[in-house]
Amino acid sequence: MAKPIYARAVADRLSLREGRLRIKMDGEELTAQETALYDRQIRVWGVDAQKRLSKAQILVSGLNGTSVEFCKNIVLAGVGSLTLMDDRLVTEDALQANFLIPRDETVYSGRSLSELCCESLRDFNPMVRVLAEKGDLAQCEMEFFDKFDVVVVTGCSLKTKIEINEKCRKRAKRIAFYAIECRDSCGEIFVDLQNYTYAQKKSDGTAECHLSYLSLEDAILIPWRNLPRKVSKLYFAMRVIEKFELSEGRNPGELSNCDLPAVLKLRKELCDAQSLNESHVPETLLERILVAGPMLYPPVCPILGGILGQEVIKAISGKGDPLKNFFYFDAADGKGVVEDISNPSSI
Amino acid sequence: MDSDLKTEAIKRAKVLMVGAGGIGCELLKTLALSGFQDIHIIDMDTIEVSNLNRQFLFRQSHVGQSKAKVARDAVLRFMPQICITPYHANVKDPEFNVDFFKQFNVILNGLDNLDARRHVNRLCLAAEVPLVESGTTGFLGQVTVHIKGRTECYECQPKPTPKTYPVCTITSTPSKFVHCIVWAKDLLFAKLFGDRNQENDLFVHTGDGSDSVKPTDDIFERGLDEVSVQYGRKIYDHVFGYNIEVALANEETWKNRRRPRPIFLGDVLPEKLILQNGNLEKNCLTEDLSLSAMPSLGLNNSQEIWSLAENSRLFLEALRLFIERRGKDIGSLTFDKDDQLAIEFVTAAANIRASSFGIPLHSLFDAKGIAGNIVHAVATTNAIIAGLIVIEAIKVLEADFQNCRMTYCLEHPCQKMLLMPVEPFEANKSCYVCSETPLLLEVNTQTSTLRDFVDKIVKNKLGMSFPLIMQGATLIFEGGDDLEEDVAANYALNLDKVLTALPAPVTSGSMLTIEDLQQELSCHINIKHREEFDEEKEPDRMVLLGWTTPEKKSQGVSNGENTTAAIPAAPEAINKSEEVEVAAEISRTRRKRSEISETTGDQETFQILPDTDAKNSMDPQEVEDDDYENDLVVLDENPEASKKRRLQ
Ligand SMILES: [Zn+2]
């Protein structure tokens, strides 16, 4: 569906001016329909941001409670297109915290998550193209990535995330990369905007601001003792769990309480190697995550999906300070914390 | 957290959601996904196009239908096995009484106005049901928990009441665009298209307070054979030209002010154009709320700021369309932000007036936001807030009260936090809503009428809808429409009496008891007679005390220039360092509730204050109150400050 381009009628027909020039914006205006639909959010981020959103192409690989929240938000916001990748067939586990798929086996049986979610999301906003793409993103040709401005991955191994992140980084155009994972009542978002420049709002106008992001691989390689004091315990817990999943060849959500002894052993190894006191990675936290297994605490999904939605909107529109580079939420203490994990020397 | 226990508590719970809008849609979905089985939902609104960008349970085809009902159907489509009971009704309806509230384990608010929030708070207190309250504006939001006997109630800290502007700022000395909007909407629009019998100050004060020039109302009356073009010109020249000239005659007013410029149509548009303005055929042939004067004038972009000439043409054309296409509405119209022609008329009139007074002009899009008090809203914040509401609701259901938190959703991290939990505050011992503490009213008992008291204090300040007022054992007033005729007539008589002349005279030292039976709220007010009031700062001519921080009592609610004004800001304009300070303050003084005011997303209404003495309020030392958005308000230590800004 081609975006309707609004050729502005010549308002100057009667050439009655008061010496004031009209500044033409890119020659493209929002349609009356878009202005009416997006009225309330244009009042938040402005017309220019809305125009940029309407041109943005988003890819989401992995559909779960958190990423469908993100999909909903970004479709409502009015992006240009959203492409979904997840060939898994619908299972009970895949349904939890997912409001895009009716709990009706006759509807979902034999169909992939991306197909079903795609159908529902189309309804949310007829002005956004929502597509389902088959295949495994990590195996996609490099050129495939060029179609997108933003890539969001979830539900896959650390190795896959790193590979996809690297592919995004190798393209000539800047492709924003986000990885998001929820475990029990905790969640993590990783952001890589590579080199990002935006107009930062100050009390006295705006100033150009440059941010330099690390890739996921480089960020998690930073020695733990070099990190700022008081880094969220979740940062370390997520590293231990994801490393364990990688060594076992399992995906997020595929661990259980039985794995606790092995996970604790890995915690000790990692902490020893990094000279970090094990108390920074509490056993209770690891246990909580393992016990939950594939189960998510549902109210955490809209919180993580909402923060990720806001971040992607910020990155596309160039409005607002983007998050750098990890975000954590834990329903247990209710804190939503930003952690900047970057090499002190590389800043 | 024992997950089995949690699941059980959720499954057994019966919850009431108030509001099926931005937060409500997200909340209903999240409750359903979290395992709630019995959800009741009240919302009186119907679906509008501008809801669809965030209220994701609704589609274009639902426009005009009940939000509560459509939301229920949409959620049942993916979760068919749960029970959702919708009420397409106002939460203030009498059927939603204390007994109704008592059947629920927790009440969850997703409201957009102060009035309903206060009402629900009172019913929750009376029914002793915990309340989880929420609000969002743009990227900001908060969730708070209110449990009787454990935390403060929603009203423990005074809430800003609707912004009001002194009449003469609106009629004579506007200095902000919002003043021009209020003038165009509440005075000019109301005069031309609304109830003509209503009192209306549509003239310019001359400033000496005695002989204001009040033209005969005939000027606004359209002669039978008067064509709309002539009529439009007459109105234009009168309100933008003649009235300003009259006002200029009073030198005193303009001594310390920029003098306005009278604008006559002939100076703005060439004669030929006035006669050929617009093209009736080119405007869409609808007669409904989408009728617009813009297309025929070549005005397409509502984001653009139009020139004085363009606004003048829009003014004439909109007026003409009202007369020729919507003549039957004239005399009974009230301003409606969804009435396109009304927005066009008000934008044009406000901009012409702004030109006159050297105030920057605004686009129709911005003018509509100000005139309609349109809230800034995005889906993401509502989703986050809904998630936080459910987390708190589950703690309440598990009776895990010590872990309940109020959480602020911030735009910029503060102490690294974007979501900042804070321990709930204790109840304010002087809160008239949740404690028995009496209030104190300073009032001139010899000149103020019972009506003044009912309107300004009982309805506006105390937020009661059906009050019952007693002086000792004597009932002096009762609100409601189900009264016996003779009783009602008797109360009507009382309303116009000054306080000392009531059957049971109210004098200094009297104590009044005010009750609202529906809200099951009762409070006492001690009366103190006071002779003089400052017209500018105390335009109500009465001051309600006691419901504030104690140390300020002596100064009075709206008294004293020395209080530091709050720093209101649009979400995007908030200075980063300020926000950090605010949050630092929050963590330092856990028990103080003066740091961040709630982001309510309230649809507030403007009010114009009547002033009896124009001279006093012509003082150029005008109180700043140009923030028409109820956004995050950063306060200093003193909650008085924010109160003061809103010209009580
Ligand atoms: Zn209270």
Side-chain angles (χ1 to χ4, degrees):
Chain A
M1 184 186 80
K3 198 140 199 76
I5 292 179
Y6 191 67
R8 215 180 57 199
V10 189
D12 310 19
R13 198 159 36 96
L14 292 152
S15 69
L16 200 95
R17 293 274 84 83
E18 283 192 320
R20 193 175 49 78
L21 279 175
R22 283 165 190 258
I23 299 154
K24 304 224 174 190
M25 319 275 300
D26 339 322
E28 190 179 326
E29 300 292 343
L30 297 175
T31 62
Q33 193 191 4
E34 286 171 310
T35 308
L37 177 64
Y38 301 135
D39 183 278
R40 298 304 187 267
Q41 65 199 39
I42 290 174
R43 293 178 193 281
V44 176
W45 52 58
V47 180
D48 288 352
Q50 191 61 51
K51 285 187 204 163
R52 272 179 228 134
L53 279 171
S54 71
K55 291 179 196 136
Q57 320 295 318
I58 319 283
L59 175 72
V60 173
S61 169
L63 293 167
N64 53 33
T66 319
S67 61
V68 300
E69 279 284 346
F70 165 74
C71 291
K72 171 206 69 192
N73 293 336
I74 210 81
V75 167
L76 291 172
V79 293
S81 77
L82 170 66
T83 304
L84 308 176
M85 293 182 85
D86 196 328
D87 294 339
R88 288 179 298 158
L89 298 182
V90 176
T91 59
E92 276 297 311
D93 282 351
L95 274 179
Q96 64 156 333
N98 189 329
F99 53 91
L100 296 177
I101 304 171
R103 306 306 193 248
D104 178 353
E105 237 188 302
T106 61
V107 175
Y108 67 68
S109 113
R111 306 186 62 198
S112 73
L113 277 166
S114 57
E115 265 179 89
L116 286 159
C117 292
C118 178
E119 262 176 33
S120 287
L121 285 165
R122 273 184 189 149
D123 272 359
F124 284 23
N125 188 346
M127 285 188 266
V128 177
R129 275 183 306 138
V130 187
L131 312 156
E133 186 85 36
K134 282 203 165 67
D136 177 359
L137 182 58
Q139 307 304 318
C140 284
E141 304 271 315
M142 295 291 253
E143 288 69 35
F144 178 76
F145 287 82
D146 287 342
K147 293 200 269 183
F148 305 102
D149 304 294
V150 172
V151 170
V152 173
V153 298
T154 184
C156 57
S157 70
L158 173 63
K159 182 166 163 282
T160 307
K161 284 175 188 155
I162 288 175
E163 280 170 16
I164 294 170
N165 187 191
E166 287 312 312
K167 285 192 175 176
C168 291
R169 287 193 146 241
K170 285 206 180 99
R171 306 315 299 163
K173 72 182 274 199
R174 186 166 54 81
I175 304 170
F177 172 85
Y178 299 83
I180 180 165
E181 218 60 76
C182 266
R183 299 165 191 273
D184 181 50
S185 50
C186 327
E188 175 184 67
I189 299 173
F190 166 77
V191 183
D192 177 13
L193 301 181
Q194 302 173 31
N195 286 305
Y196 184 77
T197 304
Y198 71 107
Q200 187 177 41
K201 275 212 170 173
K202 299 257 166 129
S203 48
D204 52 348
T206 57
E208 193 158 275
C209 182
H210 303 275
L211 293 175
S212 185
Y213 286 77
L214 291 179
S215 69
L216 178 58
E217 184 171 29
D218 290 342
I220 61 175
L221 273 177
I222 293 178
W224 290 358
R225 60 182 174 279
N226 290 2
L227 296 178
R229 287 188 315 120
K230 289 195 163 183
V231 168
S232 169
K233 293 179 167 58
L234 277 169
Y235 175 76
F236 303 112
M238 293 293 186
R239 302 291 78 80
V240 173
I241 300 260
E242 117 201 317
K243 195 138 202 166
F244 182 77
E245 284 167 347
L246 195 59
S247 68
E248 293 278 308
R250 288 189 253 171
N251 276 328
E254 294 178 3
L255 302 187
S256 75
N257 207 19
C258 317
D259 299 309
L260 187 60
V263 169
L264 290 176
K265 188 166 160 274
L266 179 63
R267 172 183 75 160
K268 184 165 177 8
E269 283 167 28
L270 290 175
C271 285
D272 287 352
Q274 300 265 13
S275 352
L276 185 81
N277 190 312
E278 280 187 74
S279 66
H280 287 276
V281 202
E283 183 177 337
T284 48
L285 179 56
L286 292 172
E287 190 181 2
R288 176 150 65 92
I289 291 170
L290 293 181
V291 167
M295 299 304 290
L296 294 176
Y297 187 44
V300 174
C301 298
I303 296 173
L304 268 290
I307 298 280
L308 181 60
Q310 268 167 15
E311 286 308 315
V312 168
I313 290 164
K314 279 190 215 166
I316 295 168
S317 65
K319 282 207 151 189
D321 304 316
L323 194 158
K324 181 168 180 287
N325 51 350
F326 285 86
F327 174 82
Y328 293 95
F329 177 77
D330 188 351
D333 62 10
K335 286 181 187 164
V337 183
V338 179
E339 295 290 358
D340 187 353
I341 308 289
S342 37
N343 224 324
S345 57
S346 76
I347 296 172
Chain B
M1 274 178 266
D2 182 328
S3 67
D4 286 340
L5 195 73
K6 183 174 285 174
T7 323
E8 240 346 270
I10 294 169
K11 271 190 183 153
R12 271 188 285 106
K14 184 172 183 180
V15 302
L16 174 66
M17 284 177 52
V18 191
I23 294 174
C25 280
E26 293 287 342
L27 182 56
L28 186 60
K29 171 257 303 166
T30 306
L31 286 171
L33 291 173
S34 302
F36 285 79
Q37 308 274 324
D38 189 1
I39 307 164
H40 292 237
I41 179 163
I42 303 178
D43 197 312
M44 67 188 291
D45 284 345
T46 53
I47 296 156
E48 291 171 25
V49 171
S50 61
N51 300 148
L52 304 177
N53 79 319
R54 61 195 187 285
Q55 301 178 15
F56 75 100
L57 298 174
F58 309 145
R59 304 281 173 269
Q60 186 75 43
S61 60
H62 296 136
V63 169
Q65 297 182 41
S66 153
K67 286 188 177 180
K69 290 180 179 162
V70 175
R72 169 192 182 267
D73 296 346
V75 168
L76 290 185
R77 262 199 301 280
F78 68 84
M79 276 284 192
Q81 75 285 13
I82 66 170
C83 179
I84 303 174
T85 313
Y87 305 85
H88 183 202
N90 187 341
V91 70
K92 294 182 81 174
D93 288 347
E95 58 176 306
F96 306 118
N97 54 19
V98 174
D99 283 335
F100 175 84
F101 273 68
K102 273 185 178 156
Q103 63 181 307
F104 300 102
N105 300 99
V106 64
I107 311 296
L108 312 173
N109 267 0
L111 284 164
D112 65 358
N113 69 88
L114 178 67
D115 199 38
R117 283 190 170 100
R118 292 171 73 173
H119 186 84
V120 172
N121 179 50
R122 291 162 189 200
L123 283 163
C124 285
L125 287 168
E128 305 204 23
V129 181
L131 167 67
V132 182
E133 169 64 63
S134 68
T136 66
T137 300
F139 291 120
L140 305 173
Q142 86 282 319
V143 173
T144 56
V145 185
H146 307 281
I147 305 168
K148 192 175 180 179
R150 290 183 179 271
T151 72
E152 64 175 0
C153 81
Y154 174 70
E155 294 175 90
C156 271
Q157 299 302 323
K159 302 289 179 238
T161 43
K163 280 154 204 125
T164 52
Y165 300 97
V167 137
C168 83
T169 303
I170 302 303
T171 57
S172 321
T173 55
S175 57
K176 304 279 188 309
F177 188 67
V178 62
H179 301 152
C180 301
I181 287 282
V182 174
W183 176 85
K185 183 179 85 158
D186 293 353
L187 298 182
L188 187 59
F189 182 88
K191 185 80 201 168
L192 289 171
F193 309 121
D195 179 1
R196 276 167 205 264
N197 298 323
Q198 248 174 26
E199 220 179 292
N200 191 322
D201 276 304
L202 194 67
F203 57 92
V204 179
H205 286 279
T206 53
D208 57 15
S210 55
D211 61 344
S212 304
V213 177
K214 187 162 187 172
T216 54
D217 275 352
D218 293 345
I219 196 89
F220 294 102
E221 210 64 58
R222 191 165 65 96
L224 280 177
D225 53 349
E226 195 170 15
V227 295
S228 49
V229 180
Q230 283 169 6
Y231 177 69
R233 180 177 198 153
K234 182 178 75 179
I235 298 295
Y236 188 107
D237 285 343
H238 182 80
V239 299
F240 301 116
Y242 173 75
N243 276 357
I244 303 288
E245 278 185 342
V246 170
L248 280 170
N250 189 290
E251 293 298 332
E252 198 59 25
T253 311
W254 311 109
K255 247 177 36 208
N256 300 310
R257 283 193 176 88
R258 178 174 175 167
R259 295 168 65 89
R261 171 171 72 104
I263 300 176
F264 290 93
L265 192 58
D267 303 336
V268 179
L269 297 176
E271 202 62 30
K272 215 174 113 208
L273 198 58
I274 298 171
L275 295 171
Q276 289 175 357
N277 190 43
N279 178 346
L280 223 46
E281 307 318 311
K282 275 199 71 176
N283 290 306
C284 32
L285 292 171
T286 57
E287 296 189 359
D288 63 11
L289 297 184
S290 62
L291 178 67
S292 169
M294 286 165 56
S296 74
L297 300 174
L299 300 172
N300 301 301
N301 187 351
S302 64
Q303 310 273 345
E304 193 175 54
I305 297 172
W306 297 321
S307 65
L308 172 60
E310 285 165 321
N311 277 295
S312 299
R313 297 177 60 213
L314 183 60
F315 178 89
L316 294 178
E317 187 62 4
L319 182 56
R320 178 159 76 144
L321 284 178
F322 267 121
I323 292 168
E324 296 184 8
R325 285 288 157 78
R326 292 175 56 184
K328 59 182 187 334
D329 296 345
I330 294 178
S332 62
L333 272 174
T334 49
F335 178 81
D336 171 358
K337 68 172 164 41
D338 297 312
D339 179 342
Q340 175 65 22
L341 201 56
I343 293 285
E344 290 171 6
F345 179 84
V346 165
T347 302
N351 274 327
I352 300 165
R353 186 165 171 86
S355 292
S356 206
F357 283 87
I359 296 166
L361 308 196
H362 283 64
S363 69
L364 181 126
F365 181 82
D366 289 340
K368 180 179 175 179
I370 301 167
N373 295 295
I374 293 176
V375 297
H376 298 191
V378 288
T380 48
T381 317
N382 289 334
I384 294 166
I385 289 301
L388 294 169
I389 293 172
V390 175
I391 290 173
E392 293 310 317
I394 292 172
K395 289 184 212 166
V396 167
L397 293 173
E398 294 177 295
D400 182 16
F401 301 121
Q402 68 278 11
N403 281 317
C404 284
R405 292 289 177 274
M406 33 192 223
T407 308
Y408 293 98
C409 179
L410 305 171
E411 191 182 3
H412 303 288
C414 161
Q415 297 176 333
K416 299 202 300 189
M417 282 182 275
L418 279 174
L419 301 174
M420 187 164 62
V422 179
E423 271 183 47
F425 296 113
E426 283 163 9
N428 177 356
K429 290 188 179 61
S430 64
C431 172
Y432 75 93
V433 182
C434 67
S435 82
E436 307 272 288
T437 315
L439 296 162
L440 177 68
L441 182 72
E442 293 180 354
V443 57
N444 188 326
T445 51
Q446 281 145 17
T447 59
S448 289
T449 61
L450 181 63
R451 186 189 303 281
D452 293 334
F453 175 70
V454 170
D455 290 347
K456 291 169 184 171
I457 301 297
V458 179
K459 292 197 173 157
N460 203 16
K461 291 268 161 51
L462 303 184
M464 293 185 179
S465 318
F466 300 107
L468 198 140
I469 303 172
M470 280 175 299
Q471 143 86 310
T474 317
L475 194 55
I476 52 178
F477 181 75
E478 208 177 336
D481 22 345
D482 53 347
L483 302 172
E484 298 286 328
E485 233 170 78
D486 52 332
V487 179
N490 196 27
Y491 290 143
L493 267 168
N494 279 354
L495 278 177
D496 290 320
K497 289 182 181 152
V498 297
L499 296 178
T500 47
L502 287 166
V506 175
T507 56
S508 214
S510 297
M511 187 172 81
L512 295 178
T513 304
I514 329 276
E515 284 183 25
D516 187 305
L517 294 181
Q518 199 195 336
Q519 298 175 344
E520 291 205 5
L521 173 64
S522 165
C523 71
H524 303 290
I525 300 183
N526 290 313
I527 302 295
K528 184 178 166 200
H529 175 78
R530 187 171 136 196
E531 205 63 39
E532 300 286 333
F533 288 88
D534 183 322
E535 283 303 329
E536 181 72 16
K537 292 169 198 135
E538 303 162 330
D540 280 348
R541 301 182 63 79
M542 43 185 87
V543 178
L544 188 68
L545 300 162
W547 176 33
T548 48
T549 41
E551 65 268 27
K552 279 289 159 196
K553 266 183 186 166
S554 58
Q555 284 194 328
V557 169
S558 51
N559 202 0
E561 288 290 354
N562 54 341
T563 40
T564 325
I567 310 154
E572 286 176 304
I574 288 179
N575 182 312
K576 235 178 149 177
S577 62
E578 276 165 12
E579 203 177 308
V580 171
E581 275 168 32
V582 169
E585 188 62 23
I586 285 178
S587 50
R588 233 180 293 133
T589 60
R590 285 262 157 129
R591 293 283 143 189
K592 282 196 175 171
R593 181 57 184 283
S594 48
E595 298 84 1
I596 288 189
S597 84
E598 287 93 74
T599 46
T600 53
D602 275 0
Q603 285 169 350
E604 287 187 46
T605 47
F606 297 117
Q607 285 181 0
I608 306 175
L609 297 172
D611 59 356
T612 44
D613 182 355
K615 199 172 176 180
N616 270 343
S617 39
M618 297 292 276
D619 193 319
Q621 194 76 58
E622 192 187 302
V623 177
E624 289 287 308
D625 191 36
D626 56 332
D627 57 309
Y628 45 81
E629 292 152 331
N630 185 23
D631 290 327
L632 183 80
V633 180
V634 181
L635 302 180
D636 65 358
E637 296 259 59
N638 174 13
E640 292 287 347
S642 77
K643 214 172 147 69
K644 182 176 137 282
R645 284 188 61 81
R646 293 196 160 85
L647 292 183
Q648 299 288 294

